[in-house]
Amino acid sequence: MSAPATPSSSSSSSSSSPSSASPASRPAVTEREARQVAEDARQRDWRRPSFAKELFLGRFRLDLIHPHPLPDDEASRRGEAFLAQLRDFCETRIDGAAIERDARIPDDVITGLKELGAFGMKIDTRYGGLGLTQVYYNKALALVGSANPAIGALLSAHQSIGVPQPLKMFGTQEQKDAFLPRCARTDISAFLLTEPDVGSDPARLATTAVPDGDDYVLDGVKLWTTNGVVADLLVVMARVPRSEGHKGGITAFVVESAAEGVTVEHRNAFMGLRGLENGVTRLHRVRVPAAHRIGPEGAGLKIALTTLNTGRLSLPAMCVGAGKWCLKIAREWSAAREQWGKPVALHEAVGAKISFIAATTFALEAVLDLSSQMADEDRNDIRIEAALAKLYGSEMAWLMADELVQIRGGRGFETAASLAARGERAVPAEQLLRDLRINRIFEGSTEIMHLLIAREAVDAHLSVAGDLIDPEKSLSDKARAGARAGAFYAGWLPKLIAGPGQLPTSYGDFKHEVDLSPHLRYVERTARRLARSTFYAMSRWQGRMETRQGFLGRIVDIGAELFAMSAACVRAELLRSRGEHGREAYQLADAFCRQARLRVEELFGRLWSNTDGLDRTVVKGVLSGTYAWLEHGIVDPSGDGPWIADATPGASTRTNVHRPIR
C-alpha cells in the first residue's frame, strides 16, 4: 500500500517559456505514477525510535515515553510568563461573541496579538520571535482558541504550516534572515496547496512555476487559503515543468501577496470558524525570484509532509481546549439544572456523558503534551504520534461537543445570542460544534489520516516484503524479497506470542490506590494482537491490502486508542509523582482506559465481521443509478452552477479583496 497519491514530475509540461505556463488541461497521471510520487515525498528513513511505530509492530516500548519527558526550567518559566500575558489579553481584548456576529476578527485584536508576540511564538529569538517550545506553543493555542477558535486557526496557520515552519526546517540562512523577522512581529503568512479540483490527492496540481532567467513565473488558482485574505507572505506549491537544467516537480515558493498578479478573488464563508480569513487566490504571471524557492525543485510535497509532522499538533491543541471548556460547562450546568428532584448530572444517562468528557479530555491532553514534549526533545521520530494526535483529537473533540449539546438539551441547540436576549447565560455550545467540525477535514481528513498512518504503520513489512506484492518486480527481485521477508518474520512472529502483558506483576510501578497496571498489560497484549491481525491481513490480501480502507481505518483506530491509553497512564503517574492531583489523575486515567478498552474490542470485532463487501456493492448501485428511485419525493434547494468552479489560469476579472492588517 502507499500514501495518498500525487503526480510524477515527468507528466508535467516540458515547455520552459513563461508564455506557456497555463496548461490546457490538468496533467494526465496514472494511479501508479501518482502513488510513486507519494512514496517519493514520504520521509522514508527511521533514524530515531518511534513509540507508535513500535506499537503497531506489536512491541510496547514503554521506556520511550516513561518516565514522562519534561521541559527544562527556563523553557517553563518563559512559557508560563507568556501564557499569563496571553490570558490577560484573551480576557480583556477578545470578544468572541462579536467575532461570531461580525464574522471577522477585529484589526485591533490582530494588531494586539502581533505586539504581544503571538505571531512569533515558534520563531527563534534571534529573529525577534519568542522561541517557545512546542509544549507551550500548544498551551497558548488551546488558551486563545478557547476565546475564539478562529483566532487559534489564524495563529496556527501562520506558524505551523505558513512561512515560519518550512523556512525553519528547509530555508536558507538568507531566507530566514529576510522573512522570519517579518513573520515574528508584522507579517501574516498563509499556505497555498489546495486547488478547486485538487484536495488530499494533488495528482492534478495545475498551478505552474515556469523558470524564466533568475525568476519563476507562477500561474494558477488556489482554494481555501487559510489566512490568505489578510496574508502578507504566502507559501505556494506549484509544478515546475521538467526542462534542461530543471528537475521539475511540485515545488515550494515564498510569494509576496502584494506582488503583481496576486488577487484574492473571494473570501469564503463556512458553517463554523466565522472569523476565518480564508479565500480563493489567483496567481497570474506572478514573478518570483529563484532565491525565494524553498528547497530544491520537486521537494515541495516532502517539505509539506515533513512540516506537518509537528505542525499537526496545533490542531489537537485546540481540541484539548475545547474539551476543557466542554467539561466546565457540563459541570456547571449539570449541577444547576434539576430534573425529577435531583441535578441532571446524577442521572446515569447524563452522568455517563460527563464521565466521557472528563476522561477523554484528560487523555487528549496526555497525548498532546507527550507528543509535544517528544517533539521538543527531538530524540524520537513522532510522525505517527503527531498524526494519531490529530486524528484522535479531532474525532474525540467532536464527540465531546456533541455530548455537551445533548446535555444542554434545547439550550445546546439555541445560539448564545438568543440565550442572552431572553436573559440566560450566553453559552455558545452550538457554535463549538460548528467550529470543531472542520477539524475532521483540516490538515488531512480522517479518511486520509487513516491511510497515511496505515502506510507508516506497515512500513517495516513493505521494506522487507514489498517487492513480493509488486506486480512489476522481476522474479529475481521477488526471490530476494522472499529471503528478506523470511529472515524478518522468523525473528518477529515468535515475539508476538507472549510478552509482559501476560504477567500479573508487570508494570507494578503504576499500582497505587488506583491500579493502572492492568491497563498497561492490556496495551502490551493488544499491541501484539494488533500486529498479528495486520500480518494476517497482509498475507490474505497482499497487493490488494491498500484497497481495504475500512480494515486499515480500524487498525489505525485501535492503535490510536492504545497510544492514548499509554499516554494517559504515563501522565497520571507523572502527576502522582509530582504531587499534582495524582489520585484524581489516576481515577481519570482508569476511567478513560476502561472506556477505551470497550471501543478497542468493538473495533477488533469489526475487523473481520463487517459490511465492507456489501457496502461496495451498494455504492456501485448508487453510482449507476440503480437506487435513484429512492430519491423521489423531495425538492433540491441547491443552486445552479458546476460542482467544481472553473480554475483556468489567466488574469483575474474580480475585485481584489485582499485586506492586509497594518
Side-chain angles (χ1 to χ4, degrees):
M1 63 175 293
S2 60
T6 51
S8 83
S9 56
S10 62
S11 64
S12 303
S13 166
S14 61
S15 170
S16 61
S17 169
S19 63
S20 63
S22 301
S25 61
R26 295 191 180 276
V29 181
T30 68
E31 180 179 1
R32 184 171 182 81
E33 287 175 328
R35 294 182 183 280
Q36 185 56 52
V37 173
E39 275 296 293
D40 292 342
R42 282 184 60 246
Q43 181 181 345
R44 296 189 177 188
D45 57 320
W46 293 88
R47 298 178 181 176
R48 290 167 294 174
S50 165
F51 173 80
K53 175 176 178 285
E54 294 293 304
L55 196 67
F56 280 107
L57 283 170
R59 299 190 284 247
F60 181 44
R61 291 286 308 278
L62 185 62
D63 60 295
L64 293 177
I65 61 172
H66 174 67
H68 194 295
L70 292 170
D72 61 52
D73 292 341
E74 176 59 20
S76 297
R77 184 194 64 77
R78 291 191 297 109
E80 293 293 341
F82 176 72
L83 288 179
Q85 291 180 292
L86 184 61
R87 173 175 288 278
D88 180 69
F89 185 91
C90 290
E91 293 174 343
T92 61
R93 298 282 299 277
I94 297 177
D95 184 345
I99 295 172
E100 177 70 7
R101 180 186 65 244
D102 300 335
R104 175 165 292 179
I105 303 170
D107 288 6
D108 68 292
V109 171
I110 297 178
T111 300
L113 289 167
K114 288 181 180 181
E115 294 170 349
L116 195 63
F119 282 85
M121 288 186 284
K122 288 194 71 179
I123 298 175
D124 195 279
T125 53
R126 78 180 82 170
Y127 304 111
L130 299 181
L132 297 186
T133 62
Q134 186 72 38
V135 168
Y136 277 98
Y137 170 66
N138 286 337
K139 289 181 183 296
L141 288 179
L143 175 60
V144 76
S146 67
N148 186 268
I151 298 179
L154 168 76
L155 296 175
S156 171
H158 166 72
Q159 293 172 88
S160 297
I161 59 175
V163 171
Q165 191 67 16
L167 287 193
K168 175 183 177 181
M169 302 181 72
F170 298 99
T172 65
Q173 190 59 52
E174 291 75 16
Q175 290 171 338
K176 294 175 183 178
D177 292 338
F179 296 119
L180 290 184
R182 293 169 57 183
C183 292
R185 291 289 175 175
T186 60
D187 289 11
I188 299 173
S189 69
F191 176 75
L192 280 61
L193 170 62
T194 304
E195 298 176 0
D197 198 25
V198 177
S200 298
D201 175 7
R204 298 178 309 281
L205 192 81
T207 298
T208 55
V210 179
D212 183 31
D214 293 331
D215 297 336
Y216 290 84
V217 179
L218 274 60
D219 280 273
V221 178
K222 295 294 186 179
L223 176 63
W224 296 325
T225 59
T226 298
N227 290 0
V229 178
V230 296
D232 305 285
L233 292 170
L234 314 171
V235 175
V236 178
M237 294 292 170
R239 184 191 304 277
V240 177
R242 176 177 290 182
S243 61
E244 185 177 351
H246 292 277
K247 174 185 177 183
I250 297 175
T251 305
F253 299 89
V254 177
V255 179
E256 299 276 359
S257 60
E260 184 178 356
V262 178
T263 305
V264 180
E265 296 189 328
H266 179 70
R267 182 181 187 264
N268 301 316
F270 303 101
M271 67 181 288
L273 294 183
R274 287 172 51 79
L276 196 68
E277 297 289 354
N278 180 293
V280 177
T281 302
R282 179 178 292 271
L283 303 113
H284 176 58
R285 298 182 60 79
V286 179
R287 301 193 73 86
V288 178
H292 289 189
R293 187 189 70 218
I294 307 174
E297 290 181 358
L301 289 181
K302 183 181 288 289
I303 289 171
L305 289 175
T306 306
T307 297
L308 281 173
N309 281 343
T310 54
R312 283 196 176 96
L313 291 175
S314 62
L315 193 149
M318 288 180 281
C319 291
V320 167
K324 289 174 178 286
W325 185 79
C326 286
L327 181 60
K328 179 180 185 296
I329 298 301
R331 172 177 59 82
E332 294 175 351
W333 164 250
S334 299
R337 172 64 164 161
E338 290 193 357
Q339 195 85 322
W340 297 310
K342 58 183 177 181
V344 294
L346 299 182
H347 291 283
E348 192 171 272
V350 175
K353 299 179 187 300
I354 297 173
S355 174
F356 167 74
I357 293 173
T360 304
T361 298
F362 178 82
L364 288 190
E365 187 168 38
V367 166
L368 177 69
D369 280 3
L370 178 62
S371 300
S372 300
Q373 187 57 44
M374 288 195 293
D376 286 329
E377 289 188 340
D378 201 29
R379 62 182 173 87
N380 289 331
D381 188 318
I382 67 156
R383 75 184 83 163
I384 300 181
E385 287 83 349
L388 288 172
K390 188 275 175 189
L391 168 69
Y392 197 71
S394 60
E395 290 293 325
M396 300 306 276
W398 166 256
L399 292 176
M400 287 191 289
D402 186 58
E403 294 288 43
L404 176 65
V405 168
Q406 193 71 17
I407 291 169
R408 288 276 290 161
R411 291 172 174 84
F413 191 66
E414 190 173 1
T415 67
S418 178
L419 289 165
R422 62 181 184 79
E424 289 194 3
R425 185 174 299 186
V427 179
E430 60 83 28
Q431 179 191 334
L432 180 70
L433 196 63
R434 290 186 287 105
D435 287 341
L436 283 174
R437 184 59 184 84
I438 189 58
N439 291 341
R440 299 170 65 201
I441 301 171
F442 261 170
E443 297 180 16
S445 68
T446 291
E447 294 72 23
I448 291 299
M449 296 306 297
H450 277 151
L451 297 180
L452 185 151
I453 296 168
R455 172 62 187 86
E456 299 297 346
V458 301
D459 184 59
H461 300 284
L462 293 181
S463 65
V464 299
D467 287 353
L468 282 173
I469 59 177
D470 189 336
E472 295 194 3
K473 293 298 181 180
S474 67
L475 289 177
S476 58
D477 289 335
K478 290 180 180 293
R480 285 190 291 270
R484 289 196 305 269
F488 173 77
Y489 290 120
W492 178 69
L493 285 171
K495 296 179 181 178
L496 301 182
I497 298 173
Q502 293 164 291
L503 300 176
T505 57
S506 295
Y507 313 112
D509 49 341
F510 288 83
K511 183 176 182 179
H512 298 282
E513 185 176 345
V514 176
D515 189 1
L516 297 182
S517 63
H519 300 312
L520 292 175
R521 291 195 291 272
Y522 176 85
V523 172
E524 196 279 333
R525 294 194 307 273
T526 308
R528 287 186 281 112
R529 181 184 176 190
L530 182 64
R532 292 194 300 268
S533 297
T534 304
F535 174 75
Y536 173 72
M538 292 190 67
S539 302
R540 176 179 177 180
W541 292 315
Q542 300 184 34
R544 292 175 291 126
M545 177 83 158
E546 63 187 22
T547 68
R548 305 290 176 168
Q549 295 180 1
F551 178 90
L552 293 172
R554 295 173 199 117
I555 286 288
V556 169
D557 286 340
I558 292 170
E561 295 283 5
L562 298 181
F563 177 41
M565 289 176 66
S566 304
C569 291
V570 169
R571 179 174 177 80
E573 174 57 20
L574 169 68
L575 295 179
R576 186 205 65 81
S577 67
R578 299 176 65 170
E580 300 176 1
H581 310 290
R583 182 174 180 272
E584 295 79 9
Y586 259 64
Q587 290 173 341
L588 289 170
D590 183 43
F592 173 77
C593 288
R594 291 176 185 274
Q595 294 168 10
R597 288 171 69 162
L598 294 175
R599 293 191 292 268
V600 167
E601 291 306 312
E602 179 183 356
L603 286 164
F604 267 115
R606 290 172 55 208
L607 281 181
W608 311 110
S609 179
N610 53 65
T611 62
D612 292 350
L614 178 59
D615 293 342
R616 289 191 290 271
T617 300
V618 172
V619 167
K620 291 178 182 178
V622 170
L623 294 179
S624 67
T626 301
Y627 311 125
W629 53 267
L630 191 58
E631 301 164 12
H632 295 170
I634 62 165
V635 295
D636 183 354
S638 306
D640 296 329
W643 286 105
I644 299 172
D646 179 42
T648 303
S652 180
T653 59
R654 299 192 179 191
T655 301
N656 190 356
V657 297
H658 181 232
R659 185 176 63 86
I661 309 296
R662 301 301 181 200

